[in-house]
Amino acid sequence: MPGPVGPIRSVTVVGASLAGLAAVRALRAQGFAGPVTVVGAERHTPYDRPPLSKGYLAGTVPDEDLELTGPDDAALGVQWRLGCTAIGFDGPGRVVALDDGTELAADAVVLATGARARPLPGPVPGGVHTLRTLDDARALRADLATARRLVVIGAGFVGAEVASTAAGLGIGVDVVELAAVPLQRALGAEMGEVCGRLHEANGVRLHRGVGVERLLGSPRVTGVRLADGRELPADVVLAGIGAVPNTEWLAGSGLTLADGVVTDARGMTGLPGVVAVGDCANSHRDYTGGLLRLEHWTNALQQPTVAVAALLGTEHALPAHHTVPYFWSDQYGSRIQFAGHRAPDGRVRLVEGEPDGPGGFVAVFDDAAGEPVGVLGIDRPRPFGGWRRRLAARG
């Protein structure tokens, strides 16, 4: 894919997110001294999202601990345009149109607009939430403060973490999952089943292989009717049914859009001087040999450094273990870690511990040829780290 045309004298970063902040820091660290403008649809400066479903939701993490910018970031010399939404993009001209009627032209543009929570279809009563932003977390936390029953729709990582947090607050929790096994796409049937048992072992009722027919109650939710006719009482409902990349505003820009902004392994798009990073980027991954959009903290932190180097024409290589996709999740007092990927035609084998035994376990995912391509660890950080490095050495 092409690089920038001519010298870069100014940069616009669209997205005041972790990925956007990481891009700004990388620009300065790699010697760019020109003006940088950061556009953010939210009015908040960049904040840490992982605690939103855990400590922040439980009230043990204060607002100030979410703040990602610190005293050193004042020296970045950034012009912040917060509370402004990008609504259009002239890709070849590198001009970003904002909802306040202004346009920002720059020599280079970093797209870091992230993703938004997928909503339930149709109108929803009060007490029904999604969780993606700080404002989402504040609204959900306020409702959970007086709730007795929570229904979580979707047993993905966000749904599981909220279920874990709510159960720890003494709230009765039901989790509804359309698939027969939670996390089956990421972890496969066997390991997805293990993660599903975490819910049941902690008093959370998991309803598998059933969809939601409709929400009950008006003007505020009182329950959820399942497709099999059962009704689950609820004071609060969380929809954790995935996320959608924020790329609609890029229609007609000249960029290739397919479940995000398509980029090469460095984050470069098909337009000179334009890169995409973080949750909105569907990037080629050398490790998997194909496109993959990662919605994980580590990718949002690391990918911008490589993309900025590509923009500026400098060289930057991440440490080997960072090239392997990685994520973690905290649920019911356990740390779940996964690196690499699961080959659909492969198999999984235990290498340490037992899934239902004390002290956690490590499982390795092999491809069809018997070569390890992924590793899952629950409460075994050191051996997990060793396998993660081993995967990187292979890659």
Side-chain angles (χ1 to χ4, degrees):
M1 290 189 177
V5 174
I8 296 178
R9 293 160 298 217
S10 60
V11 178
T12 299
V13 178
V14 189
S17 55
L18 171 62
L21 178 62
V24 173
R25 288 171 173 167
L27 283 164
R28 298 308 192 206
Q30 295 180 35
F32 180 73
V36 176
T37 301
V38 179
V39 177
E42 296 182 64
R43 297 190 179 276
H44 310 294
T45 52
Y47 57 86
D48 205 18
R49 294 184 189 275
L52 297 183
S53 57
K54 301 182 278 289
Y56 185 79
L57 195 61
T60 58
V61 173
D63 284 59
E64 54 267 27
D65 284 1
L66 299 180
E67 183 64 52
L68 288 174
T69 54
D72 292 344
D73 291 309
L76 294 174
V78 174
Q79 180 186 6
W80 296 94
R81 296 289 300 271
L82 300 177
C84 294
T85 301
I87 60 172
F89 184 44
D90 171 8
R94 295 179 292 280
V95 178
V96 177
L98 304 182
D99 61 352
D100 64 2
T102 60
E103 293 185 340
L104 302 175
D107 297 310
V109 176
V110 178
L111 303 173
T113 47
R116 64 187 182 278
R118 189 185 303 276
L120 293 170
V124 296
V128 178
H129 298 263
T130 56
L131 180 57
R132 187 77 185 185
T133 69
L134 176 57
D135 291 337
D136 291 341
R138 286 172 174 170
L140 178 58
R141 185 171 67 176
D143 264 1
L144 290 179
T146 58
R148 297 178 59 192
R149 304 288 311 174
L150 167 69
V151 172
V152 176
I153 302 172
F157 289 107
V158 170
E161 289 172 359
V162 171
S164 169
T165 300
L169 294 172
I171 299 170
V173 183
D174 290 270
V175 176
V176 180
E177 171 56 49
L178 183 60
V181 177
L183 303 172
Q184 183 168 353
R185 182 176 178 182
L187 302 181
E190 187 176 351
M191 292 296 108
E193 178 70 30
V194 171
C195 291
R197 290 202 292 269
L198 284 175
H199 294 292
E200 294 159 344
N202 287 274
V204 171
R205 292 163 292 278
L206 177 59
H207 309 272
R208 314 154 179 253
V210 62
V212 171
E213 179 182 297
R214 66 185 181 94
L215 302 173
L216 305 175
S218 179
R220 187 172 178 87
V221 70
T222 59
V224 175
R225 178 174 294 163
L226 304 184
D228 61 10
R230 287 179 293 158
E231 294 186 359
L232 306 176
D235 307 302
V236 180
V237 171
L238 173 78
I241 54 176
V244 182
N246 291 319
T247 56
E248 291 84 357
W249 68 286
L250 296 169
S253 65
L255 292 165
T256 301
L257 305 176
D259 187 34
V261 181
V262 175
T263 82
D264 67 9
R266 302 168 299 167
M268 296 294 292
T269 71
L271 294 177
V274 181
V275 299
V277 296
D279 295 4
C280 75
N282 192 8
S283 302
H284 178 84
R285 310 286 173 172
D286 291 335
Y287 188 80
T288 59
L291 292 173
L292 184 64
R293 189 171 66 83
L294 291 175
E295 297 177 10
H296 301 301
W297 187 91
T298 48
N299 180 65
L301 181 66
Q302 296 161 4
Q303 189 183 30
T305 305
V306 177
V308 164
L311 268 183
L312 300 179
T314 59
E315 291 294 328
H316 180 83
L318 291 170
H321 71 278
H322 289 305
T323 64
V324 179
Y326 167 74
F327 64 83
W328 82 92
S329 178
D330 294 320
Q331 301 174 26
Y332 305 106
S334 289
R335 169 61 61 96
I336 301 171
Q337 296 175 284
F338 185 83
H341 69 108
R342 180 182 68 87
D345 54 354
R347 70 183 186 96
V348 62
R349 53 190 170 91
L350 286 170
V351 294
E352 285 203 29
E354 293 292 336
D356 296 311
F361 70 95
V362 175
V364 171
F365 294 78
D366 294 330
D367 62 15
E371 292 294 327
V373 294
V375 59
L376 169 70
I378 297 185
D379 296 331
R380 291 278 180 116
R382 292 189 66 181
F384 171 86
W387 275 98
R388 183 184 177 192
R389 290 187 291 273
R390 180 172 170 180
L391 294 178
R394 283 193 63 250

